[in-house]
Amino acid sequence: MDWGLKNRLSRIIKPTTGRTVMLAVDHGYFLGPTSGLEVPSKTIRPLLRFADSLMLTRGVLRTSVPPDFDIPIVLRVSGGTSILSKDLSNEGITTSIKEAVRLNACAVALSIFVGSEHEKETLLALSELVNQAEEYGIAVLAVTAVGREMERDAKYLSLCCRIAAELGAHFVKTYYCEEFEKVVETCPVPVVIAGGKKIPEKEALQLAYNAVQKGAAGVDMGRNIFQSEDPVAMIQAVRAVVHKNASVEEAYEIFKKKKKEK
Ligand code: 5RP
């Protein structure tokens, strides 16, 4: 790994803790104006100072994030489907590496759909993205997207994460599952977890806690932050779990306290 790539990755995964709180706000790329992200700038701005990086598309980056705010960007560069598509796995690369460089991205993100109809195309797209991104020292995040019919268990998620790493991804985003430690152990690059659909705050903190205790390098969390009854309080509670090893009880107290302060 060259110096530039290591430097970009270390802006996302903080060397002091080896962990990261990534804020995922890329959902609109196939969901449109999803709940909590109807007006991206309103959602994103108050959260910016608490996030270690921002995962989003170029459209939302250009329109909704101040260019003078110093935050590492993880640019989603896959897409081409919508929630109305028959097959969500039919994604391609939407954004060039030159554009990622122009936008000063630290990493680019692409979904792979292992076991789906378009498995091969998405895996080859990941390989090609790694080839291109490495030329510029940009890191690649593989997102192990799960089809409606896929079982999110350790056996399947280990398969997805390991394939992503073998093809050259520098870090991987996946889901938390029972025996998550097996997913982390068998993946030679850092693994971060998605939050998944909105659940009560304390349960989402438990999810983050379990993941980091079992070896995750942190979270790339979206809905459980921006759909929270208090997103700013929630992201601070998640930070305590990820960077300070706070217990679920301690983090939930932080959530309640920050919420009350308002
Ligand atoms: C889908 C994605 C998302 O759009 C998003 O980043 C997921 O985050 P969360 O599940 O925490 O809302 O990566 O594959």
Side-chain angles (χ1 to χ4, degrees):
M1 218 189 276
D2 74 8
W3 193 93
L5 203 151
K6 277 187 191 155
N7 177 265
R8 288 185 179 91
L9 206 50
S10 74
R11 292 192 61 215
I12 300 168
I13 301 176
K14 301 297 173 195
T16 42
T17 59
R19 292 186 185 157
T20 183
V21 175
M22 301 168 63
L23 178 63
V25 287
D26 59 324
H27 306 60
Y29 91 94
F30 76 106
L31 290 174
T34 197
S35 168
L37 271 182
E38 293 87 347
V39 182
S41 61
K42 272 196 197 164
T43 308
I44 295 169
R45 282 179 191 226
L47 295 171
L48 274 179
R49 70 189 184 95
F50 301 107
D52 292 325
S53 74
L54 206 50
M55 179 194 187
L56 75 183
T57 59
R58 66 172 159 189
V60 169
L61 179 61
R62 287 166 176 174
T63 56
S64 314
V65 180
D68 57 356
F69 195 91
D70 182 16
I71 185 161
I73 297 301
V74 178
L75 193 67
R76 173 168 284 278
V77 299
S78 71
T81 61
S82 83
I83 191 65
L84 304 179
S85 304
K86 282 201 185 72
D87 182 0
L88 286 178
S89 74
N90 197 5
E91 284 193 358
I93 292 181
T94 57
T95 310
S96 69
I97 282 296
K98 279 191 180 165
E99 174 76 326
V101 172
R102 272 196 296 271
L103 292 168
N104 199 26
C106 282
V108 285
L110 168 141
S111 293
I112 55 169
F113 292 82
V114 174
S116 75
E117 196 185 332
H118 294 92
E119 172 184 272
K120 181 178 175 189
E121 289 91 333
T122 61
L123 293 178
L124 291 180
L126 170 62
S127 309
E128 183 51 25
L129 188 64
V130 172
N131 292 337
Q132 292 177 14
E134 285 190 349
E135 273 191 50
Y136 297 92
I138 293 180
V140 175
L141 172 68
V143 180
T144 67
V146 174
R148 290 182 188 103
E149 65 292 351
M150 307 291 186
E151 197 58 52
R152 291 185 193 184
D153 60 15
K155 194 173 169 204
Y156 173 70
L157 296 176
S158 300
L159 174 77
C160 300
C161 291
R162 179 59 175 267
I163 290 173
E166 298 263 355
L167 296 180
H170 306 101
F171 57 139
V172 178
K173 171 176 178 171
T174 194
Y175 292 92
Y176 182 74
C177 61
E178 289 289 311
E179 301 186 291
F180 185 72
E181 62 281 6
K182 289 190 181 156
V183 178
V184 175
E185 272 163 27
T186 55
C187 181
V189 297
V191 177
V192 294
I193 60 145
K197 69 176 193 322
K198 174 76 176 76
I199 51 178
E201 277 74 8
K202 200 170 180 184
E203 288 174 32
L205 293 169
Q206 182 77 59
L207 181 82
Y209 179 85
N210 292 346
V212 294
Q213 294 306 318
K214 290 188 176 184
V219 300
D220 184 12
M221 196 175 261
R223 289 162 288 180
N224 277 291
I225 292 174
F226 65 72
Q227 291 177 352
S228 164
E229 51 186 283
D230 191 329
V232 173
M234 185 58 180
I235 196 169
Q236 290 179 83
V238 172
R239 286 195 76 78
V241 168
V242 171
H243 286 302
K244 299 213 157 76
N245 282 315
S247 67
V248 177
E249 287 304 330
E250 286 165 340
Y252 192 54
E253 283 308 310
I254 292 173
F255 172 71
K256 288 193 291 190
K257 185 168 165 267
K258 298 285 176 191
K259 194 176 131 194
K260 219 167 162 188
E261 275 171 13
K262 284 191 173 164

